[in-house]
Amino acid sequence: MITTIGVVGAGTMGNGIAQVFAQSGFKVRLHDAAPAAIDRARATIAKSLAKFVEKGKLTAADRDATLGRLSPAPAIDALADADYVVEAVIENLDLKRQLFGTLDALTRPGVILASNTSSIPITALGAATKRPEHVLGMHFMNPVPLMTLVELVRGQATSDATMQAAVELAKTLGKTPVEAADYPGFISNRILMPMINEAIFCVMEGVGTPEAIDAVMKLGMNHPMGPLTLADFIGLDVCLAIMNVLDDGLGDPKYRPCPLLKRMVAAGQLGRKSGRGFYSY
C-alpha cells in the first residue's frame, strides 16, 4: 500500500506535487539539496492552501491537516522508507541519472521511482537503476494544484503493473492520467514547444509583436493565454532546454531552437522568474 510519498526537488513543480499528495491524504517527505528551498516550498504551499480556504474550496481544518502531513527531509536518507518517489529536479540528464541511482540504492525493492521530467527519456533514467520496470514518467502540469492532466510516460522496460499503479495514484489525486510513449517531448511538449518556438521566430522576424502574436492565438484559436505569455510563465530557460532535447533526440531542423530564445536565455531574460522575458513583471 502506498501511504508515504517522497518528493525530490522543492522548486515550483516539486512543491506543487508535494501539495497535491498531502492534500489527498498521503504523508509527504520533501527533499531538496538546498535546505532553504524546502522552507520556501512550505511557505508557498501554505499560501496556496490559504487561497483555497479563502475561496471555500478547502476548510481550515483540512489545510492544517495537509500541512501536518508534509515533512521536510533535508537529508535524502529520509526517503528510505517511502512507498513511492517522484523526482522533480532541473532538466539535466546526468543529474537525474545520478539521482535515480541514489534512489535505487536507498529505497526498498519494488518501490516505484517516477520522474516529473517534461522531455528527458524515461528509458535512460530507468537504465540508471536496477529496477527499470519500476521507473516511469509522471509529468504534472504547472500549476500542479490546479491543472488536471498528468502525462504518464512508459519507458522501454516499464511494466504494466507500474503504469497501472501510477494511473490509480493519479486518479486518487483527482487528476486525469494520459499515457504517452517515451519519445522526446512525449505528447505535451512535442506539440507545445515547437508552437512556442515558432512564436518566438515570429517575434525575431518581425511578423508581429509579442502582444499581437498572443492576441491572435487567444482570440483566433481560443487559447487561454498566448504562447509568449505561456513561455514567460514556464521559463524561457526551460523552453530552451526542452527544445534542445527535441532537436537532439529527433534530429529534424524544425525543432531547432530559435536564436532569439537562445539570446534571451543567455542574457538572463527568463520570463516571470527573472522579472523580464517577452513581457516585464
Side-chain angles (χ1 to χ4, degrees), residues 66-262:
T66 296
L67 290 171
R69 287 189 286 267
L70 179 64
S71 302
I76 198 168
D77 291 354
L79 275 56
D81 62 348
D83 303 312
Y84 192 101
V85 180
V86 182
E87 167 273 312
V89 303
I90 61 172
E91 291 290 88
N92 179 287
L93 176 59
D94 292 336
L95 175 63
K96 287 181 187 287
R97 281 178 55 84
Q98 181 180 7
L99 175 58
F100 269 74
T102 298
L103 292 171
D104 182 43
L106 181 65
T107 56
R108 302 187 311 277
V111 169
I112 294 172
L113 306 178
S115 175
N116 182 61
T117 181
S118 54
S119 60
I120 288 175
I122 299 304
T123 301
L125 301 182
T129 75
K130 295 178 181 178
R131 64 178 87 186
E133 70 279 11
H134 297 308
V135 175
L136 82 158
M138 197 173 193
H139 180 206
F140 290 84
M141 304 295 127
N142 187 29
V144 181
L146 300 179
M147 301 295 282
T148 57
L149 174 67
V150 176
E151 191 175 30
L152 299 179
V153 185
R154 183 191 294 267
Q156 184 68 24
T158 306
S159 70
D160 290 341
T162 293
M163 293 298 293
Q164 186 57 39
V167 166
E168 293 172 1
L169 197 56
K171 290 180 178 178
T172 299
L173 299 178
K175 306 298 185 184
T176 300
V178 176
E179 183 174 337
D182 193 17
Y183 285 91
F186 317 134
I187 295 172
S188 57
N189 285 318
R190 175 78 175 265
I191 296 170
L192 174 63
M193 284 302 160
M195 182 190 73
I196 288 176
N197 195 53
E198 193 63 28
I200 299 172
F201 268 111
C202 286
V203 174
M204 186 181 76
E205 295 168 4
V207 177
T209 64
E211 293 82 0
I213 292 164
D214 279 352
V216 166
M217 298 306 292
K218 286 173 64 179
L219 303 177
M221 315 307 169
N222 205 29
H223 289 195
M225 70 174 71
L228 300 172
T229 299
L230 180 56
D232 277 357
F233 181 76
I234 294 169
L236 301 189
D237 53 338
V238 176
C239 293
L240 178 58
I242 296 171
M243 286 307 302
N244 283 331
V245 169
L246 292 174
D247 189 31
D248 293 342
L250 298 171
D252 191 311
K254 69 182 179 182
Y255 298 112
R256 176 174 63 94
C258 178
L260 176 58
L261 175 59
K262 291 182 176 181

